[in-house]
């Protein structure tokens, strides 16, 4: 199962994002969405799981969860916006993957047997960082992630 990972859209859905996420089975948005229209657009591609970011303060955003616990193909996934706010031991809680955004810096790293993924920012370019999305491929209880630069 291929899952599209996106974060920090800040209200902007680029055509390159739609192309990059075409064909994924599901999309996880790690916050700083920028409005319901972003999720509506992404839902046209695949079902979307979403958490609230620190900038999602409008009434729509305030109703979103701060974190999610998901499971696909035997892989438990913890999703939040800012990894610095992770208040659970992912190993003890049985999570194999932690997905977070916030920093706009795309990263895939493994620590203590847990895959940490930040898909970077797909929204307005900030800090000279690339515009990116990520992919999480899960199958048979394993997970692999990659980052795709869009611009």
């Amino acid at each position: 199962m291929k899952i599209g990972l996106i974060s920090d859209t800040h209200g902007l859905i680029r055509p390159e994002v739609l192309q990059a996420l075409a064909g994924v089975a599901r999309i996880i948005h790690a916050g700083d969405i920028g409005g319901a229209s972003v999720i509506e657009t992404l839902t046209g591609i695949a079902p979307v799981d979403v958490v609230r970011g620190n900038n999602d303060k409008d009434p729509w955003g305030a109703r979103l969860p701060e974190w999610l616990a998901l499971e696909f193909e035997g892989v438990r996934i913890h999703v939040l916006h800012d990894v610095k706010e992770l208040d659970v031991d992912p190993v003890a809680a049985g999570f194999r993957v932690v997905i977070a955004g916030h920093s706009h810096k795309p990263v895939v790293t493994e620590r203590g047997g847990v895959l940490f993924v930040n898909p970077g920012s797909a929204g307005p370019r900030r800090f000279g960082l690339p515009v990116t999305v990520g992919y999480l491929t899960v199958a048979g209880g394993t997970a692999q992630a990659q980052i795709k630069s869009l611009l």
Side-chain angles (χ1 to χ4, degrees):
M1 174 181 199
K2 187 172 184 179
I3 302 168
L5 308 177
I6 189 168
S7 186
D8 296 280
T9 48
H10 295 278
L12 176 62
I13 292 289
R14 301 168 183 275
E16 295 89 351
V17 167
L18 300 177
Q19 292 171 348
L21 295 178
V24 300
R26 196 159 194 104
I27 297 171
I28 296 174
H29 195 306
D32 276 0
I33 301 144
S37 64
V38 170
I39 300 305
E40 290 167 8
T41 300
L42 293 175
T43 301
I45 298 170
V48 179
D49 298 290
V50 60
V51 295
R52 176 176 64 230
N54 60 295
N55 288 305
D56 296 319
K57 296 177 181 177
D58 64 351
W60 174 84
R63 291 191 304 268
L64 297 172
E66 291 184 27
W67 61 272
L68 290 172
L70 306 171
E71 185 170 340
F72 302 107
E73 304 278 334
V75 175
R76 293 200 62 221
I77 303 166
H78 186 86
V79 184
L80 72 164
H81 181 60
D82 186 349
V83 73
K84 293 178 182 175
E85 295 178 1
L86 182 65
D87 63 355
V88 63
D89 176 351
V91 174
F95 291 108
R96 174 68 181 94
V97 179
V98 173
I99 298 169
H102 186 61
S103 72
H104 293 228
K105 296 177 185 174
V107 173
V108 175
T109 189
E110 191 164 328
R111 294 192 307 255
V114 176
L115 187 62
F116 285 81
V117 184
N118 184 329
S121 171
R125 189 185 299 268
R126 293 180 60 197
F127 316 119
L129 294 168
V131 175
T132 57
V133 296
Y135 303 105
L136 183 69
T137 304
V138 294
T142 64
Q144 296 179 342
Q146 66 183 47
I147 302 295
K148 179 178 176 80
S149 184
L150 303 179
L151 299 176

